[in-house]
Amino acid sequence: MRRAVLAVAALLCAAVVVLFDPQEEARILLTTMTVLAWLFVGLYGWRSPWRSTEAGKTLMFTAVALGLIGLQLISVWWLGDYAWRNEVRAATVIALVLSLLHRLVVLWEFQHEEADK
């Protein structure tokens, strides 16, 4: 089922690219990315013990950061230019940078922990 869902999603994304102008394409794809990121946060946060492992924490941190970046990007379409927009964008990008750094550190520690055994 996973492959079928991904195949259909890939075809729908390709259709968006073909059928819409670049501005609408970006709106559709970025809004979809944002919704999917927040769905992951909701489902993973509610149904999984993500706090119990560093791997779980890094998945959650990255998903939240992606959701925040998506919200910041699409908020411009909804709200136009708003006060503190540049600062909000910087904060969301910093959140993603730190979550990706956390992922790398956790991966490094995990790989070296395994090598020491």
Side-chain angles (χ1 to χ4, degrees):
M1 176 158 151
R2 180 181 337 150
R3 287 184 181 171
V5 169
L6 291 173
V8 169
L11 290 172
L12 288 172
C13 288
V16 167
V17 170
V18 170
L19 296 174
F20 294 94
D21 66 85
Q23 186 70 20
E24 286 301 309
E25 168 196 318
R27 288 180 184 200
I28 293 166
L29 294 177
L30 287 170
T31 300
T32 303
M33 178 207 73
T34 303
V35 169
L36 291 174
W38 287 115
L39 282 172
F40 179 88
V41 168
L43 288 172
Y44 193 51
W46 181 48
R47 298 186 53 115
S48 300
W50 61 271
R51 292 177 191 89
S52 63
T53 66
E54 287 302 311
K57 291 175 192 174
T58 195
L59 278 173
M60 181 59 87
F61 296 161
T62 305
V64 167
L66 285 171
L68 289 172
I69 283 180
L71 279 178
Q72 193 281 323
L73 289 169
I74 64 178
S75 71
V76 176
W77 297 323
W78 296 340
L79 305 173
D81 197 14
Y82 54 89
W84 299 90
R85 177 177 161 211
N86 292 331
E87 291 78 8
V88 170
R89 183 182 59 235
T92 60
V93 172
I94 288 169
L96 182 58
V97 166
L98 293 176
S99 71
L100 292 172
L101 179 60
H102 182 257
R103 270 186 166 206
L104 285 170
V105 169
V106 168
L107 177 64
W108 177 269
E109 290 172 349
F110 180 75
Q111 287 178 336
H112 285 79
E113 180 182 293
E114 293 295 316
D116 293 339
K117 289 183 180 180

